Amino acid sequence: MDPACFLPSHQFNGSPLGSDLYKTSPTFASSKTGRTEQPKAVEPTRIITDPVTGRAYSKGRLLGKGGFARCYEMRDLSSSQTYAVKVIPHSRVAKPHQREKIINEIELHRDLHHKHIVKFSHHFEDSENIYIFLEHCSRKSLAHIWKSRHTLLEPEVRYYLKQIISALKYLHLKGILHRDLKLGNFFISENMELKVGDFGLAARQEPADQRKKTICGTPNYLAPEVLLRQGHGPESDVWSLGCVMYTLLCGNPPFETSDLKETYKCIKHVTYTLPVFLSIPAKNLLMGILKRNPQERLTLEEILDHEFFTKGYTPDKLPPSSCVMVPELNPPNPAKSLFVKVTKTLFGKRKSKVKKSPSEERDEISKLVTGLVKTSICRQMSHKTVEGNEVTPLSGQSPSSSPAVTVAEEGSRKSISRSIRGTMASTSEVFEDCVTASAVIESAIALLKNCLSIMPPAERNPASLACHEHFVWVSKWVDYSNKYGFGYQLSNRSIGVLFNDGTHMTLSANWKKVHYNLTNSKHFSFPASAVPEQLQGQMSVLQYFASYMEQHLMKGGDLPSIDEVGQLPLLLLQWVKTDQALLMLFSNGTFQVNFYNDHTKVIFSKPDHSCLLTYINRDRNSYTYKLSSIAELGCSPELQHRLKYILKLLLERADA
């Protein structure tokens, strides 16, 4: 391997949330229990310098050690930023396959951007070592908490497991298996947030018949199929998650024995004991996870939907004292319950049995929604990826399910419509539009069927158009339908939200004009400074979506942005998520499909004229073709595969 692959370092801006105690793990666990011992050795402080950038770092205390590396606390002398730094001596990676493992870890980890995954900052090497700079979590790891506490309360376990599952869903969506989930690899930040770390054994997911049969990981957390040399799959990570849950609740791993061979035997035969003090939901969940057959195990979505989570209290935050002592946990207070009721009323969920006058509801919304949005969106909507528009659901929504859209009563819509007309008569404009999602689907099916039926086989795509045609596409998106709705940013820099109640709100690129749709056939337009009182709650959500996407998400391709030219805003009619892709249908006939695993996108635009197909590849480079050219000349197998999948998806929607 070329040493230059480590230089220059790949850096990501942004400061870590605290200072982190890191443990580096060997290829196999240092102990069969998976317990992490705090090293006592402290090496003298010295200065480490990046030979390329000249940045100097003060090397501090030893945080942990493993088979290949030691981990130290280091401080950037120019910025005072603190990192946890893996230091790998060249002597430990002298053989090609050893160096390849380090390269693999770097390449996997540096592309991960998620609230509950340890941040990769940058790396470099000098004549002695390779240095990997990581987020620094000051409250050590779950292994240290477990060592102090031995067992945790069920609400605490739910708190940590939800964060682990959030990170795992993100990893699996990107086709990455962690393969070494254990207490010592879950790090705790200054503000008590869990971060999954140590990707030394992580690997990209392979088809079942191509999986590597290597037994790797920590003995107590290995899945039966791994011990039987059938390879790792997503289900193997789920098994390890079950072992983590058991360990936190019961005080020891489920298959721990005094003899390693006996431990392996217990794992293969799934022999373990459920203590009597466990709750019934906890026992049922563990039994659903620790299944010998990987296909019978609960999925991550099913785990979150289990009564252990849905019927049990999960604290929003844990006190730092819980690292060493049992915390005092209080159930939700009445004020929080009121927040939930107001949110459900505002965003189309089941209405309260106690009817309130419109003025009373508006007063409650005005007082509560801003605080609710700030505390809820800002804390939870922080899943960042390399391509930030690929944000996974933030709650238990199944990727294969369509969005939950609860349409408000027609009478309520008419009431809102009359109210808006009355209060905004001097400043609002009313427009009519009657494009439907079914019409877009029918048109798209006809186009694709015709194209796929006549196009000849080909090895490559036809010549792309020399210049970009002006059309609008989704450059960023956020799925927050578990609370509010689906948000997106268009290439013209306008922001839209399709709320769970079926209403739609759009903010112009300059943030000066708002369009509000009660249905897909009627919408209002008014200055952002004069939004009607009854829409202030939704306006607050829209503004937070806009701020979040602007600050945290990356544009999903290299297509140029285009300016708004005064026409009506593009209206999102429908969005659908499957296990492979996201489909978005718009009021002008445009539809876009984003594929999760490789971040490729297919956009169909100008369906009423000469239909254009734009393909954005995994490197975010875009190519636009006339659909008629693809029908005549054919396209690459890569694009053809995607077109066939899109047609199948559209046909399923047409039949739904």
Side-chain angles (χ1 to χ4, degrees), residues 335-354:
K336 184 173 180 180
S337 300
L338 184 57
F339 278 170
V340 174
K341 289 180 181 178
V342 171
T343 306
K344 287 181 178 179
T345 301
L346 178 61
F347 298 111
K349 303 293 182 183
R350 186 178 300 169
K351 296 186 176 182
S352 172
K353 294 180 180 178
V354 182

Side-chain angles (χ1 to χ4, degrees), residues 330-513:
N330 300 314
N333 56 44
K336 184 173 180 180
S337 300
L338 184 57
F339 278 170
V340 174
K341 289 180 181 178
V342 171
T343 306
K344 287 181 178 179
T345 301
L346 178 61
F347 298 111
K349 303 293 182 183
R350 186 178 300 169
K351 296 186 176 182
S352 172
K353 294 180 180 178
V354 182
K355 278 208 164 188
K356 297 180 180 178
S357 68
S359 60
E360 288 176 324
E361 286 188 354
R362 285 196 298 270
D363 288 343
E364 283 189 352
I365 292 170
S366 175
K367 292 176 183 177
L368 299 178
V369 76
T370 301
L372 178 64
V373 170
K374 285 181 179 178
T375 57
S376 186
I377 289 187
C378 292
R379 287 181 187 173
Q380 298 185 42
M381 201 175 64
S382 59
H383 289 217
K384 195 195 305 186
T385 68
V386 166
E387 182 182 6
N389 54 329
E390 304 296 345
V391 177
T392 56
L394 302 183
S395 167
Q397 182 187 353
S398 169
S400 61
S401 64
S402 57
V405 177
T406 306
V407 181
E409 296 177 6
E410 187 61 29
S412 300
R413 290 183 180 276
K414 290 178 179 177
S415 175
I416 294 174
S417 177
R418 286 194 296 269
S419 178
I420 294 175
R421 287 177 182 272
T423 58
M424 297 299 297
S426 60
T427 56
S428 69
E429 303 171 75
V430 182
F431 302 91
E432 298 291 334
D433 188 7
C434 57
V435 179
T436 64
S438 60
V440 176
I441 291 173
E442 288 177 11
S443 173
I445 289 174
L447 285 168
L448 272 175
K449 271 188 174 180
N450 179 66
C451 177
L452 289 169
S453 65
I454 65 175
M455 75 178 193
E459 291 302 317
R460 61 182 62 188
N461 296 324
S464 60
L465 298 179
C467 60
H468 287 289
E469 295 280 341
H470 282 182
F471 60 88
V472 178
W473 62 288
V474 176
S475 58
K476 304 177 183 180
W477 60 269
V478 165
D479 173 10
Y480 205 10
S481 56
N482 66 308
K483 276 187 176 288
Y484 302 112
F486 184 89
Y488 58 93
Q489 183 181 90
L490 295 173
S491 54
N492 61 13
R493 296 182 295 276
S494 63
I495 306 290
V497 177
L498 178 57
F499 289 100
N500 287 343
D501 66 351
T503 60
H504 185 281
M505 185 177 280
T506 305
L507 183 63
S508 64
N510 59 11
W511 288 40
K512 291 184 178 180
K513 198 166 190 177

